[in-house]
Amino acid sequence: MKNQIFLILCFLCAANLFAQEYQFTIFNASTNQPVENVQLFHEGKLITFSNREGVFIVPKQLVGTEVKLQKMGFETRSKVLNAENVNQILFLKPLAEVLSEVIVRSSSIPQTIQKAPASINIVNSADFSRTDATNILESFNNAPGIYVNQGALNTNKISIRGIGARSQYSTNRIQSYYDGIPIATAEGDLTLDDFDQESVERIEIIKGPTSSIYGAGLGGSINLFSKTFTKEKNQANVSSQFGSFNTYKQVIQASTSDENASFFATLSNLTSDGSRENGKYKRTSALVNGSIKSGTRGKFTYLANFTKLKAFIPSSLNEENFINNPEIADASWAASQGFESYDRGILGGSYSTFISDKISNTTSVFVSFRDGYEPRPFDILNENRISTGVRTRFNLHTKLFERPSEISFGGEYYKEWYEMGTFKNLYKDFPDQGSILGERLSSNEQDRNYSNFFAQINVDILEKWNLELGFNINTTQYGLIDLFVQDGVNQTGDYKFETILSPRIGTSYEISPGKNIYASVSQGFSTPNVAETLTPEGQINTNLEPETGTNYEMGFKGNWLDRNLYTEIAVFSIQIENLLVAKRVGEDQYVGINAGSTNHNGIEFLTNYRVQLSKVVEIKPYLSTALNFFKFDEFIDNDSDFSGKKLPGVPSYTVNVGIDLATNNGFEFFGNFRSIGEMQLNDANTGTTDSYQLLNFKAAYSFTVFENLKFNIYSGINNALDKQYAASIVTNATGFGGNAPRYYYPGNPRNYYGGLQVNYLF
């Protein structure tokens, strides 16, 4: 009998032992929702999946060992399973590129995209993966409302909702910052193609006037953020890419980080012969950034960037050459072997601290320089610029009328010294030798001063209803000293614009979980640059006024299908007064005039979808489109009345459709189709470009050779259909000496690329 009782007790103990299950539940760290199909690996072997409730059960022998949790769209997590509780909860952090809950870091008061009462687009590593690595701006075209004119690797022009389209050869009317440090000039000129996508974690684009945050920026703001680091991670990366037109790019990167500091450095070199004559390009750049903790409440971040560029300029073509000989350069630019060269650098630092539990401050200081030399057929330009400034912002958490609120306020001061001189180009006197420096034609010094005071308040009126109020006060002034008296014209003078107040109001309401509607009204401005203020006689035109605009916008942002489908739609109307127009007074020479007003009305739509085809294959189709109805309201230029005409330089529509495919074994495929509508060539609307379609493909394969050594091999094809199209145009081009106007920059024909990336984790 005793033996029978002993056997029964042993059986019951064994049954209880084997019945004991170690259950783990996986939740989304952002939404607190269970996550299905999370893979659990142990020593490289797949053990189990989580079910629909996010639950998986592991064998007892795995308790106390390290496992890896992995699911596409989430950060991979390593975890030592413990036996403290039979039921345990684990969290996985979603990748930023798939989250509508991304925190907007460029706003004065951080908030999610979902709740922000503004149209904001994120360009991140997922967007960079779809393209080659030669031009960071290529990824911008997937954002609705943004169009990039790409005449060459060094001739890029960004327009946001049609603002900036009238710039001739560069980007203006848009503010831009890298980790809070200004990278646009005091005049608003911007060169983003100096930066490599390998050194950028993500880019936030706020569309429409952002004066209440960043001052002068009628079109919006573009904010670049450097790579961030996980704790105690050291790695090195080497990549090499080659492509058509003898294009080569090499990148070397190294980073290290621990709990108290991080350091990241990248060195890149990009060369290309270009698809056209006189199109050689060479750029070498280096970037260093990092952070250092200061006690428990402070952190210092730093940035240093240097770029050395020499890029020859094929310039624009007339219609006949654009159609029949798109590979040639303009005759005068080819004969003079015109090019652009410069050394450019930025050095800055920011200190962030919590003054108390409710008050924080971030202060940034910076200095930048640019030393440029540009031989052109009509003259040779030599210029030097040094800029310095400081920006500070305070954030206060408080209550207003017993409702949770946050107040942000601060100021910015920007000082710039600019020297420029022009010389005769004697290339015609010395055939086949390119540009030859001749006698001096001009010598000027400019001082530019720019200051802002800004404030913003966010109030949670109700749990689901948020109100945002803000304003900016700006003063801008500059002085011009003419050092060249031989020509008998004295351009010396000072000019100060009247103080400009730019208010903003926005509101967002959650109509149901994951679905928000918003509305906003904001004002913005852009001041004329010094070149625009000079008359054809070389005098300062003190009658010029800043461009001002008011943006009216309504929109919807929503998640569907268990947050796998995200959509945005925005309807906007921007009314611009005192439109600054580049009036042509000579070959490739312009002056500015206030010529009237424009209406920028449009609709933008964006959607992203995630589909889990199987446990190992996921696809992400996406679509973005913009319909543009941009017209002159009142516009009289001399005796010509262009009122009611369409705005030139802006496509009537843009459509981007694509699909990303990823597998757990490391294979990825990217396909993109882009359709661009016709563009008006001039204010009179007497000519248009043809609409065009581009098809691009890319495939990549990542694999691990050793535990810490990872390879990525990729190849792609751009313009697979070999379409002939105008990648950029010069609006209102005028022919001189009986020549036809040169409107067109031809886009690249079909071209190929491939590359290898090697990553080693220490």
Side-chain angles (χ1 to χ4, degrees):
M1 183 67 180
K2 291 181 179 179
N3 290 336
Q4 291 176 334
I5 294 174
F6 176 76
L7 290 173
I8 292 172
L9 290 175
C10 289
F11 175 79
L12 292 174
C13 290
N16 182 66
L17 177 64
F18 286 104
Q20 185 178 29
E21 295 178 338
Y22 286 89
Q23 178 176 296
F24 297 83
T25 306
I26 305 295
F27 284 93
N28 185 316
S30 178
T31 65
N32 289 322
Q33 298 295 315
V35 184
E36 183 183 5
N37 287 330
V38 176
Q39 299 171 310
L40 185 143
F41 291 87
H42 178 65
E43 296 181 348
K45 182 180 179 181
L46 178 62
I47 304 299
T48 185
F49 292 88
S50 62
N51 63 20
R52 182 170 296 180
E53 287 74 37
V55 174
F56 62 83
I57 299 171
V58 300
K60 182 178 183 297
Q61 59 266 29
L62 290 185
V63 176
T65 66
E66 184 178 70
V67 299
K68 182 179 291 185
L69 303 172
Q70 182 175 316
K71 178 179 171 63
M72 284 181 289
F74 291 81
E75 293 184 358
T76 299
R77 181 182 178 186
S78 295
K79 171 70 176 177
V80 176
L81 301 178
N82 62 69
E84 293 178 358
N85 298 300
V86 175
N87 274 318
Q88 298 181 49
I89 295 176
L90 303 175
F91 292 92
L92 282 187
K93 183 179 179 182
L95 294 173
E97 60 261 24
V98 301
L99 269 181
S100 59
E101 292 85 1
V102 167
I103 301 297
V104 181
R105 297 163 61 185
S106 52
S107 174
S108 292
I109 300 176
Q111 56 189 320
T112 64
I113 287 181
Q114 183 86 29
K115 296 181 179 179
S119 184
I120 303 172
N121 289 118
I122 303 293
V123 178
N124 53 34
S125 58
D127 299 289
F128 297 148
S129 297
R130 297 166 180 159
T131 68
D132 63 34
T134 57
N135 194 331
I136 193 172
L137 299 182
E138 175 64 25
S139 299
F140 284 36
N141 284 310
N142 286 331
I146 299 172
Y147 181 69
V148 180
N149 286 267
Q150 296 175 291
L153 284 174
N154 64 311
T155 308
N156 297 281
K157 180 176 65 175
I158 306 169
S159 66
I160 300 179
R161 294 179 171 176
I163 298 172
R166 299 184 67 81
S167 172
Q168 295 303 312
Y169 306 110
S170 62
T171 298
N172 61 19
R173 310 295 193 262
I174 297 170
Q175 282 292 345
S176 188
Y177 293 79
Y178 194 114
D179 282 349
I181 297 171
I183 53 179
T185 70
E187 292 190 316
D189 285 334
L190 175 62
T191 307
L192 281 180
D193 39 272
D194 279 348
F195 295 92
D196 289 297
Q197 64 187 45
E198 291 88 354
S199 61
V200 177
E201 181 176 90
R202 75 179 189 189
I203 302 171
E204 297 180 3
I205 305 171
I206 305 177
K207 295 179 289 190
T210 57
S211 298
S212 63
I213 308 174
Y214 296 111
L218 193 56
S221 65
I222 299 174
N223 296 271
L224 288 73
F225 295 95
S226 58
K227 288 185 177 294
T228 56
F229 311 91
T230 58
K231 293 181 180 179
E232 300 178 0
K233 183 177 181 180
N234 306 310
Q235 60 179 330
N237 296 275
V238 178
S239 64
S240 182
Q241 178 177 299
F242 57 91
S244 302
F245 324 123
N246 288 324
T247 301
Y248 297 93
K249 183 177 182 181
Q250 296 81 35
V251 180
I252 301 174
Q253 294 179 309
S255 64
T256 181
S257 62
D258 57 29
E259 293 184 354
N260 298 311
S262 64
F263 173 84
F264 174 81
T266 180
L267 175 67
S268 69
N269 184 68
L270 174 63
T271 60
S272 179
D273 289 345
S275 62
R276 298 176 59 196
E277 297 175 355
N278 203 55
K280 287 190 175 182
Y281 178 96
K282 181 176 182 179
R283 173 171 60 84
T284 302
S285 60
L287 184 141
V288 173
N289 69 274
S291 64
I292 302 172
K293 281 190 176 180
S294 175
T296 59
R297 290 180 172 267
K299 184 174 73 171
F300 173 73
T301 60
Y302 55 89
L303 168 71
N305 174 254
F306 176 78
T307 301
K308 185 177 185 65
L309 173 83
K310 184 174 183 180
F312 286 83
I313 302 173
S315 196
S316 53
L317 297 175
N318 60 38
E319 185 175 14
E320 180 180 355
N321 286 329
F322 167 68
I323 294 174
N324 299 313
N325 301 291
E327 72 284 353
I328 69 170
D330 171 69
S332 61
W333 284 87
S336 63
Q337 299 176 25
F339 64 87
E340 172 189 25
S341 66
Y342 57 77
D343 294 337
R344 182 176 183 265
I346 300 174
L347 178 65
S350 298
Y351 184 72
S352 300
T353 183
F354 285 92
I355 301 173
S356 70
D357 292 339
K358 295 184 177 182
I359 303 176
S360 62
N361 172 258
T362 299
T363 299
S364 304
V365 294
F366 73 94
V367 61
S368 65
F369 71 89
R370 185 181 186 275
D371 183 4
Y373 183 76
E374 185 175 350
R376 307 173 293 192
F378 46 90
D379 65 19
I380 295 177
L381 172 66
N382 187 61
E383 56 182 351
N384 292 278
R385 172 176 56 82
I386 298 177
S387 306
T388 187
V390 59
R391 177 182 175 90
T392 188
R393 187 186 77 224
F394 293 85
N395 281 56
L396 169 65
H397 291 269
T398 184
K399 284 189 176 183
L400 289 178
F401 309 107
E402 301 302 320
R403 299 301 305 170
S405 306
E406 186 171 356
I407 299 173
S408 176
F409 61 91
E412 177 183 40
Y413 178 74
Y414 199 117
K415 175 76 172 179
E416 190 168 88
W417 297 269
Y418 178 73
E419 296 180 359
M420 62 87 69
T422 58
F423 302 82
K424 281 187 176 180
N425 192 335
L426 305 179
Y427 74 95
K428 292 182 179 179
D429 299 331
F430 300 88
D432 302 322
Q433 296 188 37
S435 295
I436 303 294
L437 188 70
E439 63 179 291
R440 179 180 289 274
L441 299 176
S442 67
S443 179
N444 293 314
E445 290 184 359
Q446 300 172 14
D447 289 337
R448 306 163 180 170
N449 296 274
Y450 176 100
S451 60
N452 285 314
F453 176 77
F454 49 86
Q456 182 175 313
I457 180 171
N458 284 16
V459 183
D460 292 333
I461 298 177
L462 298 174
E463 184 178 350
K464 297 182 178 181
W465 183 17
N466 175 267
L467 179 66
E468 180 178 298
L469 301 170
F471 70 89
N472 175 277
I473 298 175
N474 172 271
T475 60
T476 299
Q477 59 184 357
Y478 56 77
L480 176 65
I481 303 174
D482 190 346
L483 302 177
F484 187 70
V485 298
Q486 291 89 329
D487 59 358
V489 177
N490 185 8
Q491 299 178 351
T492 300
D494 297 315
Y495 192 77
K496 180 179 180 180
F497 295 103
E498 294 183 0
T499 300
I500 300 175
L501 173 65
S502 301
R504 183 178 188 276
I505 180 171
T507 184
S508 176
Y509 182 75
E510 186 181 38
I511 56 178
S512 64
K515 298 174 180 62
N516 288 64
I517 57 173
Y518 73 91
S520 66
V521 180
S522 58
Q523 289 188 340
F525 67 96
S526 289
T527 56
N529 59 41
V530 174
E532 288 174 327
T533 64
L534 296 180
T535 67
E537 294 76 28
Q539 303 297 319
I540 290 182
N541 179 7
T542 58
N543 295 320
L544 272 184
E545 298 288 340
E547 281 185 349
T548 58
T550 303
N551 179 64
Y552 305 91
E553 184 171 339
M554 296 180 63
F556 168 82
K557 304 176 183 180
N559 286 295
W560 314 83
L561 303 178
D562 195 25
R563 296 182 178 268
N564 287 315
L565 175 65
Y566 177 70
T567 59
E568 284 186 13
I569 185 168
V571 180
F572 65 90
S573 178
I574 306 177
Q575 314 296 317
I576 296 179
E577 303 291 336
N578 296 317
L579 180 70
L580 282 168
V581 175
K583 182 179 178 65
R584 192 161 189 161
V585 296
E587 185 177 4
D588 295 311
Q589 294 175 304
Y590 303 83
V591 297
I593 60 172
N594 288 121
S597 58
T598 57
N599 290 331
H600 297 240
N601 303 320
I603 303 172
E604 297 166 356
F605 177 76
L606 167 71
T607 185
N608 295 287
Y609 187 40
R610 302 176 62 84
V611 183
Q612 193 83 36
L613 292 183
S614 68
K615 294 179 180 180
V616 296
V617 179
E618 181 183 58
I619 62 171
K620 295 184 289 184
Y622 60 90
L623 165 68
S624 68
T625 184
L627 301 176
N628 303 321
F629 309 97
F630 304 157
K631 292 185 178 181
F632 293 110
D633 184 19
E634 294 183 15
F635 182 18
I636 299 176
D637 185 7
N638 293 330
D639 296 328
S640 300
D641 187 352
F642 301 125
S643 302
K645 298 291 186 180
K646 296 179 181 179
L647 196 68
V650 184
S652 56
Y653 67 86
T654 60
V655 177
N656 283 278
V657 183
I659 186 169
D660 302 342
L661 182 148
T663 67
N664 279 350
N665 63 11
F667 176 77
E668 294 179 291
F669 174 81
F670 308 93
N672 173 264
F673 174 79
R674 182 179 306 157
S675 180
I676 306 297
E678 64 180 21
M679 290 183 284
Q680 302 294 327
L681 296 176
N682 53 36
D683 297 334
N685 293 179
T686 57
T688 64
T689 63
D690 294 330
S691 61
Y692 64 90
Q693 293 75 41
L694 299 177
L695 190 60
N696 305 316
F697 298 108
K698 181 181 178 181
Y701 179 60
S702 298
F703 58 95
T704 300
V705 177
F706 304 109
E707 182 178 358
N708 295 325
L709 184 62
K710 184 178 180 180
F711 287 79
N712 177 262
I713 301 174
Y714 63 91
S715 64
I717 177 172
N718 294 323
N719 192 8
L721 302 178
D722 200 22
K723 292 289 186 180
Q724 185 177 11
Y725 66 101
S728 180
I729 64 170
V730 179
T731 58
N732 297 308
T734 303
F736 288 87
N739 295 317
R742 298 187 287 111
Y743 289 110
Y744 305 93
Y745 278 94
N748 287 334
R750 182 189 296 121
N751 59 94
Y752 306 87
Y753 63 92
L756 171 66
Q757 298 173 333
V758 181
N759 173 267
Y760 182 70
L761 184 65
F762 295 91

